[in-house]
């Protein structure tokens, strides 16, 4: 009898210790938000809230001091009549056309070269990747010394070779290609690392089978390696296109949009409108225009990759 009462007391204590279904759900939710809460707060505070606020400002006329005046879509209408904005768009498109194919071609070329069993390959890979992890601002400041027309190292090399000196960053025709060259030096390490990882995933038996069938190196690269790198090429194209469209730091540290606006890109134009001319509404509208263009390009490339059956995502 005493054992029966003891068993009932233990069962009652167990039911009291185990929370009900609603309490268990509340406990699990609190634990989950304890882990996800800080990251969610960062995303909302640093991404979603600024984006929503910029959208609201783009519908207003505001200089940051006086009360904002709602003007509807007038800022977006002014964008269609702004010749300076069209010039910035043209400079950004030219930079993108120069930068994206060159970074992909150089990245693939260097990755194929470093994928071979050569001595000190780890040292070479590190040297290629170091500029990518360096600050873009530091890269721009260093490059401004290298390409200085008066005392830069680039003109010293040209003088040693008996070639005429160049104006580089102080020339309207040369400044943008020089910035593209600097960007390639800093960004090609990323494409090299991505292509190296993709090359090492190619099955070796497929390559050996192609060679046994009589294919030379170029034929193996053309018919085996290159198709296998298709998804990576789509991914790097999208990534580098977004990088090119967001070019700002190199322009800010080298030319400040000059000479005579020859290197003023869209993002630098947004900076000038918002923080130099204190046209926060118009600057936000241009930023949203760039966002829409970037989104359309990205979606278009993803749809093209899926229709081409290239599984990049």
């Amino acid at each position: 009898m005493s054992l029966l009462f003891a068993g009932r007391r233990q069962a009652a204590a167990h039911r009291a210790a185990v929370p009900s279904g609603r309490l268990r759900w509340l406990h699990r939710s609190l634990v989950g938000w304890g882990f996800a809460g800080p990251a969610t707060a960062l995303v909302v505070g640093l991404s979603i809230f600024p984006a929503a606020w910029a959208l609201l400002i783009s519908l207003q006329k505001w200089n940051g001091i006086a009360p904002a005046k709602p003007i509807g879509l007038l800022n977006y209408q002014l964008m269609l009549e702004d010749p300076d904005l069209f010039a910035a768009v043209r400079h950004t498109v030219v930079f993108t056309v120069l930068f994206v194919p060159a970074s992909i071609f150089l990245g693939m070329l260097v990755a194929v070269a470093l994928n071979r069993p050569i001595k000190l390959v780890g040292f070479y890979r590190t040297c290629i990747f170091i500029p990518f992890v360096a600050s873009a601002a530091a890269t721009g400041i260093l490059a401004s010394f290298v390409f200085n027309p008066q005392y830069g190292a680039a003109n010293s090399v040209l003088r040693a070779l008996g070639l005429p000196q160049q104006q580089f960053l102080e020339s309207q025709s040369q400044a943008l290609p020089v910035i593209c060259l600097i960007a390639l030096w800093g960004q090609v390490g990323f494409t090299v690392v991505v292509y190296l990882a993709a090359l090492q995933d190619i099955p070796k038996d497929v390559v050996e089978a192609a060679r046994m069938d009589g294919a030379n190196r170029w034929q193996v690269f053309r018919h085996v390696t290159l198709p296998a790198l298709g998804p990576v090429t789509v991914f790097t194209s999208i990534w580098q296109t977004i990088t090119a469209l967001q070019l700002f730091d190199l322009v800010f540290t080298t030319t400040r949009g000059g000479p005579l606006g020859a290197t003023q890109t869209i993002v630098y134009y947004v900076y000038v409108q918002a923080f130099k001319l204190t046209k926060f509404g118009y600057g936000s509208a241009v930023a949203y225009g760039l966002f829409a263009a970037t989104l359309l390009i990205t979606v278009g490339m993803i749809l093209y990759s899926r229709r081409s059956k290239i599984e990049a995502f």
Side-chain angles (χ1 to χ4, degrees):
M1 193 67 181
S2 60
L3 291 175
L4 178 61
F5 283 120
R8 289 179 177 176
R9 285 197 296 270
Q10 288 179 358
H14 179 71
R15 286 195 297 271
V18 176
S20 63
R22 189 168 183 177
L23 287 178
R24 282 199 301 271
W25 175 83
L26 181 60
H27 176 72
R28 290 175 181 175
S29 299
L30 290 176
V31 172
W33 278 110
F35 284 102
T40 304
L42 285 176
V43 171
V44 172
L46 300 180
S47 298
I48 297 178
F49 174 73
W53 194 33
L55 178 61
L56 178 63
I57 293 175
S58 70
L59 303 175
Q60 300 174 344
K61 182 180 180 181
W62 187 44
N63 62 3
I65 299 176
K69 179 182 177 182
I71 57 174
L73 298 177
L74 180 60
N75 284 325
Y76 293 94
Q77 296 175 1
L78 293 176
M79 288 169 54
L80 303 176
E81 305 170 355
D82 189 352
D84 293 334
L85 175 60
F86 284 117
V89 171
R90 185 173 66 253
H91 300 152
T92 305
V93 171
V94 171
F95 175 81
T96 304
V97 170
L98 294 175
F99 173 75
V100 176
S103 65
I104 293 173
F105 174 75
L106 289 176
M108 186 184 300
L109 184 67
V110 175
V112 170
L114 294 180
N115 196 44
R116 302 174 60 187
I118 57 178
K119 293 182 179 179
L120 301 177
V121 64
F123 173 75
Y124 298 143
R125 291 176 180 176
T126 304
C127 291
I128 293 294
F129 191 68
I130 282 178
F132 175 70
V133 298
S135 167
T139 302
I141 294 173
L142 176 62
S144 63
F145 285 105
V146 173
F147 291 102
N148 188 284
Q150 284 75 39
Y151 52 83
N155 268 334
S156 299
V157 174
L158 292 179
R159 283 195 297 270
L161 297 175
L163 297 174
Q165 298 185 49
Q166 303 297 324
Q167 293 299 311
F168 294 122
L169 294 172
E170 296 184 4
S171 168
Q172 282 186 272
S173 61
Q174 298 177 6
L176 196 58
V178 170
I179 289 178
C180 181
L181 187 64
I182 300 169
L184 284 173
W185 179 68
Q187 292 290 327
V188 77
F190 170 76
T191 53
V192 170
V193 170
V194 174
Y195 275 118
L196 271 175
L199 286 171
Q200 293 173 4
D201 287 340
I202 297 176
K204 294 183 179 179
D205 53 347
V206 177
V207 178
E208 292 298 329
R211 289 177 177 172
M212 291 179 66
D213 289 339
N216 56 30
R217 288 185 178 180
W218 166 250
Q219 290 172 331
V220 171
F221 177 78
R222 171 68 179 83
H223 298 287
V224 177
T225 305
L226 201 57
L229 297 179
V232 175
T233 302
V234 173
F235 168 74
T236 52
S237 299
I238 295 175
W239 183 275
Q240 296 296 65
T241 300
I242 294 174
T243 301
L245 293 177
Q246 295 179 342
L247 177 67
F248 171 76
D249 39 19
L250 285 181
V251 174
F252 183 81
T253 54
T254 54
T255 62
R256 301 294 178 101
L260 299 177
T263 59
Q264 185 164 254
T265 59
I266 298 176
V267 179
Y268 190 83
Y269 188 72
V270 171
Y271 163 76
V272 171
Q273 294 296 319
F275 298 103
K276 280 192 172 182
L277 304 178
T278 63
K279 297 180 180 177
F280 290 100
Y282 187 65
S284 300
V286 176
Y288 261 93
L290 176 62
F291 167 74
T294 306
L295 183 63
L296 288 176
I297 293 173
T298 304
V299 171
M301 296 182 75
I302 291 175
L303 292 177
Y304 171 76
S305 66
R306 291 185 177 179
R307 289 184 179 180
S308 303
K309 298 182 180 180
I310 301 175
E311 298 179 355
F313 299 94

